[in-house]
């Protein structure tokens, strides 16, 4: 299935672009006409995106570093943007709550929540004519992850969801739309262990009403809807793309 939108002339920033959903989204946005600024810590992987035409600019960026975030938005401004920002950078480490240190909890919130706030704020300052900010949340911000134990990740993604609502309302009058996609179980570096483990993979299939995990291409439609002018009256919304997981 091919989904398309006209993003010609628009500049998109994608964090977490070196792998998984972020990398896939660079390709989708670029193939629909956007100039993509691909951001992540692993510069060699970003250079691959530029080489294959999935990105216009490779911007090495640690989203927890304030100076890097300012430089990232500066790179988009030099291209005439940003018009679209996709906050796809993320980190997770499965740990039961009783084994999670405060330092570990803070690190997870720093990467998965605080960084989204700063990238969004810096981008909003550079969007005088409005734009679209798309946060990659998770179904684990909507429901608990048990028996997978990751309290820090669930807390961070829950924060992303309500931050999306707040910024969507706060910036609506400026023409800046803020929405979130909450994916279910999709292949990525964060989920590799789950998919490689036979019992875990069976658990995902058993508990997903559609009976399978998602395919990255099944996120293309929600991304392009939120990124394009076709959603100019949509803001502060969370779209769970989860095969029915949260409908159970």
């Amino acid at each position: 299935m091919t989904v398309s939108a006209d993003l010609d002339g628009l500049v998109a920033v994608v964090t977490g672009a070196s792998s998984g959903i972020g990398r896939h989204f660079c390709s989708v946005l670029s193939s629909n006409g956007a100039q993509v600024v691909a951001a992540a810590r692993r510069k060699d992987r970003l250079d691959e995106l530029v080489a294959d035409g999935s990105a216009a600019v490779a911007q090495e960026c640690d989203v927890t570093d304030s100076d890097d975030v300012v430089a990232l938005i500066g790179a988009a401004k030099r291209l005439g943007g940003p018009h679209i920002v996709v906050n796809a950078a993320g980190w997770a480490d499965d740990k039961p709550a009783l084994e999670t240190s405060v330092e570990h909890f803070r690190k997870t919130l720093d990467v998965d929540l605080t960084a989204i706030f700063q990238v969004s704020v810096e981008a909003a300052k550079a969007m005088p004519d409005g734009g679209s900010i798309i946060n990659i949340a998770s179904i684990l911000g909507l429901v608990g992850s048990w028996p997978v134990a990751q309290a820090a990740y669930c807390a961070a993604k829950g924060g992303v969801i309500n931050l999306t609502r707040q910024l969507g309302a706060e910036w609506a009058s400026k023409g800046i739309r803020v929405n979130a996609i909450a994916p279910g179980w999709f292949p990525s570096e964060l989920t590799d262990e789950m998919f490689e483990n036979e019992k875990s993979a069976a658990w995902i299939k058993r508990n997903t009403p559609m009976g399978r995990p998602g395919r990255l291409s099944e996120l293309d439609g929600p991304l392009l809807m939120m990124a394009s002018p076709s959603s100019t009256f949509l803001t502060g919304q969370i779209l769970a793309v989860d095969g029915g997981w949260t409908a159970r």
Side-chain angles (χ1 to χ4, degrees):
M1 178 179 65
T2 301
V3 183
S4 63
D6 182 6
L7 303 180
D8 287 348
L10 302 183
V11 176
V13 171
V14 180
T15 68
S18 62
S19 65
I21 291 174
R23 189 178 185 89
H24 176 72
F25 280 175
C26 286
S27 177
V28 174
L29 293 167
S30 178
S31 65
N32 280 272
Q35 291 190 79
V36 176
V37 180
R41 291 178 299 171
R42 293 175 287 190
K43 181 69 159 48
D44 57 327
R45 294 196 178 189
L46 301 179
D47 289 337
E48 293 172 1
L49 288 171
V50 174
D52 71 17
S54 296
V57 174
Q59 182 72 26
E60 187 173 0
C61 177
D62 178 346
V63 292
T64 67
D65 185 300
S66 297
D67 291 338
D68 278 9
V69 171
V70 171
L72 170 61
I73 301 305
K77 289 169 71 173
R78 287 191 290 275
L79 293 177
H83 305 99
I84 302 162
V85 173
V86 181
N87 282 306
W91 182 81
D93 187 15
D94 299 350
K95 284 182 180 293
L98 291 175
E99 298 173 17
T100 299
S101 67
V102 171
E103 291 75 21
H104 174 94
F105 192 90
R106 285 176 177 152
K107 175 185 175 181
T108 304
L109 264 63
D110 201 21
V111 175
D112 292 346
L113 177 57
T114 306
I116 284 181
F117 174 75
Q118 182 169 17
V119 172
S120 298
V121 167
E122 290 299 324
K125 292 176 184 176
M127 290 177 165
D129 299 318
S132 175
I133 297 173
I134 303 164
N135 297 326
I136 305 307
S138 168
I139 55 168
L140 301 185
L142 295 165
V143 296
S145 67
W146 180 254
V148 180
Q150 43 187 1
Y153 184 77
C154 289
K157 291 302 184 178
V160 170
I161 284 170
N162 222 32
L163 177 64
T164 297
R165 294 184 179 117
Q166 176 61 27
L167 296 183
E170 197 166 320
W171 295 342
S173 63
K174 302 177 185 297
I176 299 172
R177 296 172 286 119
V178 187
N179 296 290
I181 299 171
W185 294 98
F186 282 80
S188 72
E189 286 188 2
L190 293 180
T191 59
D192 278 348
E193 287 188 21
M194 291 289 291
F195 285 106
E196 290 168 2
N197 182 288
E198 189 174 325
K199 287 183 64 177
S200 297
W203 173 76
I204 291 171
K205 292 179 180 179
R206 186 171 62 251
N207 287 283
T208 302
M210 285 192 177
R212 62 173 176 83
R215 307 180 187 102
L216 286 178
S217 62
E218 292 175 312
L219 295 170
D220 297 2
L223 169 71
L224 293 174
M225 176 193 63
M226 291 179 179
S228 75
S230 63
S231 61
T232 50
F233 203 54
L234 182 75
T235 196
Q237 300 304 305
I238 318 301
L239 178 59
V241 185
D242 62 2
W245 185 281
T246 54
R248 295 175 299 160

